[in-house]
Amino acid sequence: DVLGRFVAGGVKQQLLCAGDNLRTKFENHSIQYSTADIANTALLTNTMRFLDPRNPDWTPADLSRVTRFTNLQLRRFFVKGATASHRAHLLDGRLITMLSARRNYVSAMVDDIAAANFRKGYGSHSAQTYSAGANLRLAGDAVLLYGNYSRSFNTGVAVDGGTGKIQKPEEAYGPELGFKGGFGGERFGYTVAAFDITKDNIATPNPDYIAGTSPAGVPQYLGQGQEKARGVDLSLSARLTPALTILGTFGYVDATIRKHENASLIGDRLTLTAEKTASGIARYSFLNGALKGLRVGAGTSYTGDTLVSAQTATRFREMHGPVQLYNAFASYAWCQGRFRHSVALNSNNLFDKFYLNTSNKLGRGREFSTTYTVNF
């Protein structure tokens, strides 16, 4: 990275030039008993065949017979890019403008040597991305208007688990506009934003593909489509008293499919994407008396209903209802000499709610954790 700061025409400016280069190699080997010895696994005790994490059986197996490759994946990724970014301070610092451009390049190679249908894929892609935006102080720190329009390029590459085909990297573009500010000596703060984002080259999942179950050759993705997300975000913070602080967030997103190999899904909701989310936290700090140094708090999070799977010829349409979880925490800090000590206790999913998360996986049950910290 090379960063330069200068003044031209009475305007403070910054110019950043950067370049990056990354190579990643991934290997995944799975080896099992030879075909002739598969029957021997039935002779193993259940404690060896099925791991009990609370009471594991560490009896050694005969590894000399583990000679059959069932999975040998080789993946190589190469990513490089160059960036130029400019920033200018105008109107005595009330207006800040930003402009950046980047050239991206990514290539990927995948081999699945042990697959029944030997798969090998290679692909390379490049794209130009950019961003332009500005911040304008309308009323000091109390009201700041900001906006930007940008285009992004995701260097992560999706590989079809059924065919080995490498998908094109995702690209996105769109505007964001909002207000933010703080007042009352920074006791109160807020941010409100609206966005309209379009994503291209989305690897559209095949609802009939089940990892580890579908026969070889059944595609994991039906193609690459387009998605659109429009919504608003709101966050608030308030220090109501020197001891009491509350925080809150709310989000709404209308995310739909715009292009898809299956025409019946166009206009449908995105799977595993909640339209509404919200959270709230209240924190109280004891500033005087015998409990000085103690901080307690509680919070809640809300995730609206989500579409898990669209209806197909072989599956029903599946929806998950909304989920609300509660958390609590407490900490105590004290000083001894020149050392500052603190002990914290946190609880997540306080009421041990049974639920499926936004990845359609079983959510974590009630959890407690504690930490002890020393600063000096």
Side-chain angles (χ1 to χ4, degrees), residues 21-27 74-79 107-109:
N21 189 310
L22 173 67
R23 291 179 181 269
T24 303
K25 180 180 179 181
F26 170 80
E27 296 185 6
L74 304 175
R75 298 187 180 186
R76 295 179 176 86
F77 300 96
F78 176 42
V79 180
S107 67
M109 186 275 289

Side-chain angles (χ1 to χ4, degrees), residues 196-199 226-230 254-258:
D196 186 344
I197 301 172
T198 301
K199 294 177 67 176
Q226 185 185 85
E227 300 172 353
K228 193 171 188 65
R230 299 172 176 171
D254 176 22
T256 57
I257 298 173
R258 301 298 295 271

